[in-house]
């Protein structure tokens, strides 16, 4: 998410060379804004270059004009007003030339990096650059315009403390480099005060060495440039001046001839102190239009305008000695190495059936690998859906291959250092996928006559000899310019009689099946053609489809594998991108198929509730907690209660369809899904009854009271880890102690049989002198039917009657007949607690255990304490209050004890009495002080929040659950060996 303490951009402009890229790139920017990666109120613009050869300076001027136009319109002006730049923070990013290894430009090239953001998403070069600029370089800068290319990855270890007080002019950012590297790039020549004297581009080693700094490095032209507000306004003025108006879309619409202008070697160079006006206007510069060529007069005129308009303000350099940058060249080998050396994760947003087949040191990015797909160290697979058997050798890159091409991939004669890509192109109305193959060591732009020229890592002569292909087949018989691999029409696209070629056309080039005749017959394209024709909307859509398909598969694995992985970031991404329908269907399917594991089914329903909450939007639709008893959802709940999970899940989905139109309906639906999940959770916990063993003996005489008194409990360590579903999904461990309050056991129950066939339930709370009692008389089964409603009169004791099987509420036999037949009369049940309501001492659970014990004694049945613990778990589920097991453990077992439950169903609790030294026990009793604060603790409300967070597997609660268990283990050990834990004063 955006850090609000950092620079908030007013406008972010992304320039692109192809008009066809605008929609696709704009959608990508807006998607990042939706998921919080860009400021919510920033104006996002994607601006195509008006002409193909505009240059970085011309693209900057055009982008600045478009940004100023939009800001002016927002401010209510009818014409461009430079005043709108006074308080604006503008960022212009250039995507630059086509990138051979990614058809969506360098900006949207995925990197093997994962971020723990609130919304899951790709991390591209653009994201890394934006993060670096916003957090490390630009933060704190005054209003103005930052310009940077997206063909670099900046690595700045720490935020730069830059003084901007009173700054005016231009500031460039430079990173250190070696002379040997700089000869193919640009460097800044500076004076003692870091003022830029000159810019040397692709100069000799001698010239480059003149720029060396005291650390022996040279300051590389690394991308980021800042124009203060005054300079930006001056630059904006030139858009109405000929011939610089030819750089803008307005000039194009007005018929002005295009003009190529460089950002560094034209706009910035005119500010450098060492240059005279004559040198600037008439100088020949590598990579720039010649002032003496066919357009020399126009070039000189444009430079003269720049000199007159911009000359004067200073240009200074910010040198970051511990920074570095990676320029994304056209080298395939460098690109593969960059991917395998970035980050530490092997699998990034991918689903791999056999993870052991992916070697350490490889990278699988946004891909699905099914079956035996082996990815060796040093190999990269990205944006692919592959079915094995496939082996990807070291140095290889597979990109953009879909499942339909897997059979051909399996037959490819792959070796090391091969790059195979699928490109989605558009030829008029024809949409195709074109496949290319290159060697990682191939140089795309070197002349084929060069000694280093190769194709598929072979010399051209060897390739010609092996295939029979002649140069004229690739470049045409009348080609006069030097031939390079980038322009070679190597790749079959379409056969006149059989249609699209597919991956088979590449197979023959690699040495597989096929022949020269069919290759020559096919309509073929060069890589340059393919990059121009790339349908970037389809390309990005394919990546998005893969991303969400991967996410859905990972969700299934996470749920069925009981993994502690939070799916919420993916749910948010799906909701923001309109991908919720397929996700909900997958979650429905997993839930419906989990009859054998109700814990999984319950988590699935909780996940559906989270998806619905994401669709509603943060803070919209109302609170997530709320009632879940709308009659329209009752049929689904009834099916779940009856054990028909598939039908219940389907009925929930049917009802869900009626609540997708408004945020409030979505939130209400989410509440009901949580209610449905609670039904399944209760059923899962009810499995604890497998460990309840009740024997039958002789009943005591009629009218004889059977009384049980219990202590309260104090949680020493581990509390909340006993709470379902944590208790059976993670495993719980608790150390607690039974305590008397004011020397008495504060909780108890007593029961006697009475001749009248009825149930008299009496609940008392408070100190005996001022206690409040509630009597509930049950003479008919209907009087017991609200036993599952916690707030009903006598609900706890009614649940005791049902749980202990005193009576069967669903039986056709009347209450009186059941009581007479089984027990010879009715029962009078009293319960009491002298503790304040909501004290947090486990009262309700312990009270349930005491009442059950008293009922069992009164009816002549035998039990052990372990059975009571599990019986209370069952009782609290039918009472619908939920809750864990530590309260009854604490009050039904005396002393200090360690209790645990394993991460499995059925839920079983094991209790170990801790053997304490008498000294330790005495000191513990002396040092315990119970203080009543007067504040109640409503366990049900707390429980709902905890369970929701656990089902979401929020990292904080997963870590907390593990720490609770670890702390409880350490606490138990400390209690066992108390002597070791005395301090110097003898205290524990």
């Amino acid at each position: 998410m955006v850090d609000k303490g950092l620079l908030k951009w007013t406008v972010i402009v992304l320039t692109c060379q192809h008009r066809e890229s605008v929609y696709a790139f704009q959608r990508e920017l807006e998607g990042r804004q939706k998921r919080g990666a860009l400021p919510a109120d920033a104006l996002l613009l994607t601006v195509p270059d008006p002409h193909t050869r505009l240059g970085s300076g011309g693209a900057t001027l055009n982008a600045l004009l478009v940004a100023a136009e939009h800001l002016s319109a927002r401010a209510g002006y009818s014409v461009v007003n430079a005043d709108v730049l006074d308080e604006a923070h503008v960022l212009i990013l250039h995507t630059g030339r086509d990138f051979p290894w990614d058809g969506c430009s360098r900006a949207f090239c995925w990197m093997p990096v994962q971020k723990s953001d609130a919304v899951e998403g790709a991390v591209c070069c653009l994201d890394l650059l934006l993060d670096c600029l916003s957090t490390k370089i630009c933060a704190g800068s005054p209003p103005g315009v930052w310009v940077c290319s997206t063909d670099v990855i900046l690595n700045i270890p720490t935020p730069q403390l830059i003084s901007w007080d009173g700054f005016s002019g231009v500031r460039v950012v430079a990173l250190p480099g070696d002379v040997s590297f700089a000869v193919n790039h640009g460097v800044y020549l500076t004076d003692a005060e870091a003022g830029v004297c000159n810019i040397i581009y692709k100069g000799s080693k001698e010239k480059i060495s003149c720029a060396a700094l005291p650390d022996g490095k040279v300051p590389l032209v690394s991308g980021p440039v800042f124009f203060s507000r005054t300079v930006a306004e001056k630059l904006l003025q030139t858009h109405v001046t000929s011939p610089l108006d030819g750089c803008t879309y307005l000039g194009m619409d007005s018929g002005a001839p295009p003009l190529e202008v460089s950002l560094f070697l034209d706009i910035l160079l005119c500010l450098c102190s060492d240059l005279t006006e004559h040198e600037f206007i008439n100088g020949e510069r590598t990579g720039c239009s010649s002032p003496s060529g066919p357009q020399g007069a126009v070039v000189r005129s444009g430079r003269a305008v720049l000199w007159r308009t911009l000359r004067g303000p200073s240009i200074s350099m910010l040198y970051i000695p511990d920074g570095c940058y990676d320029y994304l060249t056209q080298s395939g080998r460098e690109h593969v190495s960059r991917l395998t050396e970035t980050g530490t994760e092997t699998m990034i947003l991918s689903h791999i059936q056999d993870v052991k087949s992916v070697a350490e040191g490889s990278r699988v990015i946004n891909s699905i690998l099914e079956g035996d797909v082996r990815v060796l160290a040093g190999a990269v697979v990205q944006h692919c859906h592959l079915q094995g058997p496939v082996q990807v050798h070291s140095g290889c890159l597979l990109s953009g291959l879909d499942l339909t091409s897997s059979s051909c991939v399996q037959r490819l004669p792959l070796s090391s250092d091969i790059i195979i890509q699928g490109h989605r192109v558009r030829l008029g109305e024809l949409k195709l996928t074109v496949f290319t193959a290159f060697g990682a060591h191939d140089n795309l732009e070197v002349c084929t006559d060069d000694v280093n020229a190769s194709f598929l890592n072979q010399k051209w002569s060897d390739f010609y000899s092996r295939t029979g292909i002649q140069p004229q087949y690739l470049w045409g018989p009348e080609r006069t310019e030097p031939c390079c691999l980038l322009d070679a029409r190597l790749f079959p696209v379409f056969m006149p009689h059989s249609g699209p070629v597919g991956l088979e056309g590449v197979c023959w080039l690699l040495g597989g099946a096929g022949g020269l005749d069919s290759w020559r017959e096919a309509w073929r394209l060069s890589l340059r053609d393919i990059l121009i024709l790339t349908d970037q909307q389809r390309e990005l859509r394919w990546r998005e489809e893969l991303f969400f398909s991967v996410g859905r598969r990972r969700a299934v694995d996470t749920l069925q594998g009981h993994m502690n992985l939070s799916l919420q970031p993916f749910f948010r991404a799906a909701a923001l991108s309109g991908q919720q329908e397929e996700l909900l269907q997958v979650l429905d399917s997993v839930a419906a198929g989990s009859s054998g594991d109700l814990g999984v089914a319950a988590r699935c329903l909780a996940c559906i509730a989270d998806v619905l909450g994401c669709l509603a939007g943060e803070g919209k639709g109302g609170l997530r907690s709320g009632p879940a008893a709308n009659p329209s959802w009752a049929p689904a709940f009834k099916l779940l209660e009856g054990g028909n999970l598939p039908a219940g899940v389907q009925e929930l989905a049917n009802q869900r369809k009626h609540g997708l139109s408004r945020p409030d309906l979505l939130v209400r639906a989410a509440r009901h899904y949580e209610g449905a999940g609670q039904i399944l959770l209760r059923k899962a916990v009810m499995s604890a009854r497998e460990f309840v063993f009740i024997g039958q003996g002789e009943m005591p005489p009629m009218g004889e009271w059977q009384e049980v008194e219990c202590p309260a409990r104090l949680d020493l360590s581990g509390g909340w880890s006993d709470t379902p579903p944590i208790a059976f999904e993670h495993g719980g461990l608790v150390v607690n102690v039974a305590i008397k309050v004011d020397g008495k056991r504060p909780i108890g129950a007593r029961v006697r049989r009475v001749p009248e066939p009825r149930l008299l339930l009496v609940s008392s709370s408070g100190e005996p002198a001022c206690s409040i009692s509630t009597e509930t008389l049950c003479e008919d089964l209907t009087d017991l039917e609200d036993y599952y409603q916690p707030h009903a009169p006598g609900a706890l004791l009614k649940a005791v009657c049902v749980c202990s099987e005193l009576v069967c509420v669903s039986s056709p036999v009347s209450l009186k007949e059941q009581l007479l037949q089984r027990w010879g009369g009715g029962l009078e049940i009293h319960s009491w607690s002298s503790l304040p309501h909501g004290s947090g001492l486990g009262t309700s659970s312990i009270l349930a255990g005491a009442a059950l014990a008293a009922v069992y004694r009164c009816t002549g049945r035998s039990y052990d304490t372990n059975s009571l613990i599990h019986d209370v778990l069952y009782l609290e589920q039918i009472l619908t209050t939920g809750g864990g097991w530590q309260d009854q453990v604490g009050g039904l077992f005396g002393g200090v004890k360690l209790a645990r439950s394993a991460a499995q169903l059925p839920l079983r609790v094991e209790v170990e009495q801790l053997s304490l030294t008498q000294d330790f026990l005495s000191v513990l009793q002396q040092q315990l002080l119970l203080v009543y604060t007067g504040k109640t603790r409503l366990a049900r409300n707390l429980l709902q929040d905890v369970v929701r967070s656990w089902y979401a597997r929020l990292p904080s609660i997963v870590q907390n659950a593990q720490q609770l268990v670890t702390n409880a283990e350490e606490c138990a050990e400390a209690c066992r060996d108390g002597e070791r834990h005395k301090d110097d004063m003898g205290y524990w």
Side-chain angles (χ1 to χ4, degrees):
M1 301 294 287
V2 173
D3 186 335
K4 300 188 186 304
L6 300 177
L7 178 64
K8 292 184 67 175
W9 300 107
T10 309
V11 188
I12 298 177
V13 186
L14 187 68
T15 72
C16 54
Q17 285 195 331
H18 306 300
R19 189 170 298 277
E20 295 77 13
S21 306
V22 172
Y23 177 81
F25 288 1
Q26 182 70 17
R27 186 170 179 269
E28 286 293 301
L29 287 180
E30 291 172 353
R32 281 160 171 76
Q33 190 173 53
K34 282 183 180 179
R35 67 176 192 243
L38 294 175
D41 54 353
L43 174 63
L44 306 180
L45 301 171
T46 303
V47 178
D49 293 346
H51 305 284
T52 54
R53 293 184 60 84
L54 193 62
S56 56
T60 298
L61 178 56
N62 185 61
L64 180 59
L65 169 62
V66 174
E69 279 191 330
H70 280 76
L71 290 175
S72 297
R74 276 189 170 187
Y77 297 108
S78 58
V79 295
V80 175
N81 190 323
D83 292 345
V84 296
L85 298 178
D86 287 353
E87 300 299 326
H89 295 272
V90 180
L91 175 62
I92 297 174
L93 298 170
H94 298 306
T95 58
R97 297 183 300 164
D98 290 327
F99 187 47
W101 316 123
D102 195 301
C104 294
S105 82
R106 293 169 172 85
F108 297 108
C109 177
W110 284 44
M111 298 302 292
V113 176
Q114 284 185 272
K115 289 189 175 183
S116 301
D117 290 336
V119 184
E120 191 169 80
V123 177
C124 300
C125 293
L126 175 69
D127 302 297
L128 296 178
L129 180 62
L130 279 167
D131 181 68
C132 183
L133 292 173
S134 300
T135 64
K136 306 288 182 64
I137 297 176
C138 305
S141 62
V145 178
W146 282 92
V147 183
C148 190
S149 171
T150 60
D151 59 5
V152 295
I153 298 175
L154 302 176
N155 184 3
I156 312 297
T158 56
Q160 299 301 300
L161 299 176
I162 307 170
S163 174
W164 294 97
D165 293 342
F167 179 82
S168 64
V170 176
R171 179 168 280 166
V172 296
V173 176
L175 300 177
D178 296 321
V179 172
S180 57
F181 177 82
V183 293
N184 292 314
H185 298 276
V187 297
Y188 295 113
L189 186 64
T190 58
D191 58 26
E193 285 75 36
V196 179
C197 305
N198 204 342
I199 300 174
I200 304 171
Y201 180 64
K202 290 189 176 181
S204 64
K205 284 188 176 182
E206 291 73 21
K207 285 187 176 181
I208 296 291
S209 299
C210 296
L213 298 173
D215 61 4
K217 302 291 186 178
V218 292
L220 297 172
V221 174
S222 309
V225 177
F226 175 73
F227 293 91
S228 67
R229 176 182 56 80
T230 54
V231 178
E233 289 179 359
K234 288 183 177 181
L235 180 60
L236 179 60
Q237 293 172 13
T238 64
H239 85 274
V240 294
T241 306
S242 178
L244 292 181
D245 58 343
C247 296
T248 69
Y249 86 94
L250 285 179
M252 181 179 72
D253 289 351
S254 301
L259 178 65
E260 183 178 4
V261 176
S262 167
L263 173 63
F264 292 95
L265 300 181
D266 287 322
I267 295 177
L268 296 186
L269 194 64
C270 78
L271 300 174
C272 293
S273 58
D274 277 3
L275 269 74
T276 64
E277 181 177 4
H278 182 269
E279 290 172 336
F280 173 72
I281 294 175
N282 297 284
E284 295 283 354
R285 298 192 276 275
T286 304
C288 292
S289 299
S290 172
S292 57
Q295 283 192 312
V298 176
V299 171
R300 292 192 302 273
S301 176
R303 290 180 179 180
V305 172
L306 289 174
W307 184 272
R308 290 196 307 269
T309 308
L310 299 181
R311 186 69 176 182
S314 63
I315 176 171
S316 59
M317 180 185 72
L318 170 66
Y319 179 65
I320 306 176
D322 58 347
C324 62
Y325 89 115
D326 183 10
Y327 178 67
L328 278 67
T329 69
Q330 300 208 26
S331 167
R333 178 184 57 80
E334 289 182 10
H335 185 61
V336 173
S337 297
R338 179 182 302 109
L339 293 177
T340 55
E341 293 170 5
T342 299
T344 57
E345 297 291 328
T346 300
M347 296 162 282
I348 298 89
L349 300 176
S350 294
H351 184 268
I352 300 171
Q353 191 170 19
D354 183 7
V355 295
K356 294 180 181 177
S357 296
V358 178
E360 194 73 28
S362 64
R363 294 290 184 269
V364 180
I365 307 168
N366 192 40
S367 295
I368 299 172
L369 306 185
E370 301 181 66
D372 183 20
V373 181
R374 300 181 181 274
V375 185
L376 305 187
V380 178
V381 177
Q382 65 177 10
H383 313 310
C384 289
H385 187 168
L386 299 178
Q387 172 71 53
V390 172
Q391 180 156 307
V392 187
H393 295 268
S394 178
C396 285
L397 167 64
L398 301 187
S399 180
L401 307 183
D402 60 17
L403 189 60
T404 60
S405 61
S406 283
S407 59
C408 189
V409 175
Q410 294 166 10
R411 300 192 302 271
L412 285 178
L414 282 177
S415 59
S416 298
D417 302 320
I418 296 294
I419 298 174
I420 297 178
Q421 296 172 276
H423 306 262
R424 282 139 196 89
V425 302
R426 183 167 188 152
L427 301 167
E429 296 301 316
L430 189 62
K431 297 179 180 180
L432 301 169
T433 300
V434 181
F435 298 91
T436 59
F438 292 95
H441 299 279
D442 295 344
N443 189 320
L444 299 177
E445 295 184 305
V446 72
C447 177
T448 54
D449 297 332
D450 191 287
V451 66
N452 295 316
S454 65
F455 176 53
L456 296 173
N457 301 321
Q458 307 171 39
K459 291 183 178 180
W460 278 102
S461 57
D462 295 338
F463 175 73
Y464 294 149
S465 175
R466 177 173 64 82
T467 61
I469 291 176
Q470 299 298 316
Q472 59 266 29
Y473 302 162
L474 302 175
W475 294 282
E478 300 177 359
R479 179 86 176 194
T480 57
E481 299 177 7
C483 304
C484 69
L485 178 53
L486 191 62
D487 295 311
R489 294 191 296 275
L490 280 158
F491 307 109
V493 176
F494 202 86
M495 295 293 288
H497 303 295
S498 56
V501 173
L503 192 54
E504 292 81 2
V506 165
C507 186
W508 177 68
L509 295 174
L510 287 164
L516 178 62
D517 290 341
S518 59
W519 178 86
R520 289 192 63 188
E521 184 184 0
W523 179 26
R524 304 185 308 278
L525 293 174
S526 69
L527 179 58
R528 192 189 301 276
D529 298 329
I530 292 168
L531 293 174
I532 293 172
L533 296 169
T534 295
D535 186 343
Q536 290 166 329
Q537 290 187 49
R538 281 180 61 216
E539 192 70 54
L540 291 169
R541 195 177 304 122
W542 160 247
R543 298 178 189 185
E544 183 180 72
E545 289 171 2
L546 265 180
F547 170 78
F548 286 110
S549 180
V550 165
R552 292 191 294 268
R553 289 166 183 255
R554 283 172 42 233
V556 172
D557 289 351
T558 297
L559 295 168
Q560 294 181 339
H562 305 90
M563 299 178 188
N564 289 333
L565 175 68
S566 177
L567 297 172
Q568 280 200 338
F570 175 69
F571 292 164
R572 294 189 187 101
L576 289 171
S577 299
Q579 295 283 337
Q580 68 275 3
E581 193 56 42
E582 286 184 272
L583 173 59
L584 290 170
Q585 290 174 6
V586 166
L587 295 175
D588 287 340
S589 177
V590 176
S594 299
S595 298
D597 194 335
L598 292 180
V600 170
R603 186 180 175 187
C604 283
L605 298 188
C607 285
I608 293 174
D610 281 341
V611 174
L612 297 175
C614 292
L615 288 170
E618 187 175 352
K620 299 178 180 178
L623 298 173
R624 278 289 297 276
S625 297
N630 189 297
S632 60
W633 294 80
F637 284 16
K638 185 176 181 180
L639 289 167
L640 296 177
E641 293 280 11
N644 192 343
L645 182 59
V649 170
Q650 182 58 54
E651 183 57 33
L652 286 171
N654 293 341
Q655 188 59 37
R656 180 180 71 213
K657 294 176 183 177
H658 303 303
L660 299 178
S661 59
R662 299 198 320 253
D664 61 318
L665 296 178
L666 285 163
V667 169
R668 290 166 63 188
R671 292 172 182 167
H672 284 80
Y673 263 97
E674 287 187 343
Q678 289 169 7
I679 293 173
L680 300 184
L681 178 58
R682 289 200 301 272
K683 286 183 167 292
V685 177
M686 284 179 179
S687 65
R689 210 170 200 204
E690 290 188 23
F691 308 107
V692 176
F693 304 101
I694 306 297
Q696 184 64 54
E698 291 188 11
M699 288 186 289
M702 183 76 70
E704 181 178 299
W705 287 102
Q706 301 298 316
E707 186 169 303
V708 175
E709 287 187 332
C710 296
R713 71 102 184 98
L714 283 181
D715 170 19
L716 294 185
S717 186
W720 284 109
S721 73
D722 66 303
T723 304
I726 300 173
F728 63 79
E729 291 185 344
H730 177 275
L733 193 72
V734 176
V735 177
N736 62 23
V737 56
I739 60 167
K740 293 179 180 178
V741 179
D742 296 331
K744 300 175 183 178
R745 294 186 179 93
I747 302 166
R750 60 179 179 173
V751 182
R752 67 176 178 177
R753 289 191 296 127
V754 295
E756 298 84 2
R758 64 182 187 179
L759 297 172
L760 178 61
L761 312 177
V762 182
S763 301
S764 301
S765 61
E767 294 291 338
C770 57
S771 65
I772 300 174
S773 297
T774 303
E775 289 190 7
T776 305
L777 182 63
C778 300
E779 297 180 302
D780 190 89
L781 286 176
T782 57
D783 296 330
L784 289 166
E785 286 180 346
D786 57 357
Y787 70 88
Y788 59 87
Q789 297 180 12
H791 299 295
L796 177 63
L797 295 181
K798 290 178 182 178
V800 167
C801 294
V802 173
C803 182
S804 63
E805 298 180 348
L806 275 179
V807 295
C808 177
V809 178
S810 60
S811 172
V813 180
S814 70
L815 175 64
K816 292 181 179 180
E817 290 177 352
Q818 289 188 53
L819 291 173
L820 288 170
Q821 288 174 8
R822 296 201 63 185
W823 316 115
L827 279 85
E828 185 177 342
I829 305 174
H830 290 241
S831 68
W832 64 87
S833 168
S834 60
L835 298 172
H837 176 64
S839 64
L841 297 176
T843 305
S844 59
S845 299
I846 299 171
L847 193 62
L852 284 169
V855 167
Y856 287 141
R857 289 182 186 180
C858 182
T859 53
R861 287 178 282 177
S862 60
Y863 61 88
D864 59 20
T865 311
N866 275 318
S867 292
L868 277 184
I869 290 169
H870 294 89
D871 219 5
V872 173
L873 266 173
Y874 180 83
L875 181 148
E876 291 187 327
Q877 302 314 308
I878 66 172
L879 186 59
T880 71
T881 55
W885 44 253
Q886 80 132 326
D887 291 347
Q888 58 264 37
V889 168
L892 301 180
F893 279 93
V896 181
K897 75 288 294 184
L898 168 68
R900 58 166 54 89
S901 61
Q904 63 184 40
L905 287 174
L907 176 57
R908 182 174 188 174
V909 183
E910 297 176 323
V911 182
E912 173 192 349
Q913 295 275 174
L914 297 181
S915 179
L916 309 181
T917 66
Q918 191 58 46
D919 283 349
F920 180 80
L921 190 56
S922 298
V923 173
L924 182 62
Q925 289 176 334
Q926 293 169 9
Q927 294 183 356
L928 276 180
L929 180 65
L930 186 62
V931 178
Y932 177 50
T933 64
K935 295 182 178 180
T936 58
R937 171 187 175 277
L938 300 179
R940 186 181 178 89
N941 293 345
L942 286 172
L943 182 63
Q944 192 172 24
D945 290 338
V946 170
V947 170
R948 182 183 298 133
S949 298
W950 172 256
Y951 274 139
R953 291 305 194 275
L954 299 182
S956 58
I957 199 170
V958 172
Q959 182 183 17
N960 187 275
Q962 182 56 49
Q963 289 174 343
L964 287 172
V965 170
T966 301
N967 289 345
E969 292 171 341
E970 294 175 356
C971 178
E973 184 60 30
C975 291
R976 291 190 188 98
D977 195 8
E979 287 294 327
R980 287 190 183 181
H981 297 272
K982 285 183 179 179
D983 62 19
D984 294 339
M985 301 296 293
Y987 292 101
W988 272 264

